[in-house]
Amino acid sequence: MTSIGGTEMVDWNLAVATATRFVRPGPEVSRDEARAIVAELRKHAKASEAHVRAFTRLAQPDATGEEPHDTPVLVVDRPGWIRANVAGFRAVLKPLLAKMEDRRSTVPGGAVLGAVGGKVTGVELGMLLSFLASRVLGQYETFAPASRDLPAAAQGGRLLLVAPNIVHVERELEVAPHDFRLWVCLHEETHRTQFTAVPWLRDHIEGEIQSFLSETDIDPGALLERLREAAQSLAGAKPEGEEGEDDRSLVDLVQTPAQREILGRLTAVMSLLEGHADFVMDGVGPDVVPTVAEIREKFQKRRASGAGRLDQALRKLLGLDAKLRQYRDGERFVSAVVEEVGMDGFNRVWTSPNTLPTKQEIAKPADWIARVHRRTDGAP
């Protein structure tokens, strides 16, 4: 990445250091317990491949018996998750930050301001990641660059399982550890299958993200004005004409109209991916996870309630409540489509970007069925 005066727009090393310093310690386990947990998660991740492929009918071996392209599975601790995500952010944001570097070079004193701003942004990003690092159970990193200690597939991509968080939640919910670990792996393996079985999906999402970032207004005055309006809205003093938007996050409030359109499409895709993963984990569950009903009931209650008032406030501010709605709305969409047209009929969703559901169709699955199946079946 380009830099001015030896500084970057974000101090990535400071972000890692800050997040690692402030992240909560994981649950207490002995060295032998830790080894056993890691081994079991790896075993479950491997077993999940066959379960997910059979249930979804995706990523099956081809006529020659060749398996689809694979991606590595990494069992990590909280600092490992932080390092991986900082690397991912750095890769995705590189074009935007390079653009901002160019703008800064034309501003008097830009190098000095940038050095300070990079430190501040690094600390802010680090604090955000320290909050999230104790909550994520697993993650398929679509755009992950490879590093010495965090390998990735050649095209990018790796599956992370955050062992201390999985152990923490299984203890908190008082569920069977073996069953819960497999249940989590089924969800994350579904994400890996989605991207390895649908070659165009990664590039499509990356294109949407870059379009979103390219619309970012990098004029400091305009950005500060939108941030001021966002702060007023979150404090209850909404600017005129913005009534009825209490549920919007800080991220929503600093977007341009063009970005909101792009975000609508991205929201639909993410709802599909998350809902599909939840549908698969519960569909496979009864056959391989004996206590799946108990796990689902307890996990849903935990998901909905949050850990406390501060947690709930941060979830709303950061837009994490929207992610919870994605799970719920997406699963309803997948379930309704599969019930109506079967799994093969649902899998038409992976044909091309044109067959992905819109945000409106996520809410009304019958509209997607009418659009995609009428067109592909040749009906009038």
Side-chain angles (χ1 to χ4, degrees), residues 13-27:
N13 291 334
L14 183 57
V16 172
T18 301
T20 302
R21 177 182 177 186
F22 286 100
V23 70
R24 297 176 182 176

Side-chain angles (χ1 to χ4, degrees), residues 76-155:
V76 298
D77 57 10
R78 290 170 179 175
W81 181 87
I82 290 167
R83 290 194 301 274
N85 275 265
V86 166
F89 283 147
R90 190 170 186 173
V92 171
L93 294 176
K94 186 173 182 178
L96 172 63
L97 295 182
K99 182 179 176 182
M100 295 179 73
E101 290 280 5
D102 291 340
R103 172 67 65 90
R104 190 178 72 183
S105 67
T106 65
V107 177
V112 175
L113 292 174
V116 175
K119 298 291 185 185
V120 172
T121 307
V123 170
E124 291 173 340
L125 177 58
M127 295 302 294
L128 170 61
L129 289 171
S130 71
F131 170 76
L132 296 174
S134 61
R135 286 157 174 77
V136 177
L137 301 182
Q139 175 185 0
Y140 182 79
E141 281 200 291
T142 314
F143 312 109
S147 64
R148 183 174 58 185
D149 58 337
L150 292 166
Q155 305 93 319

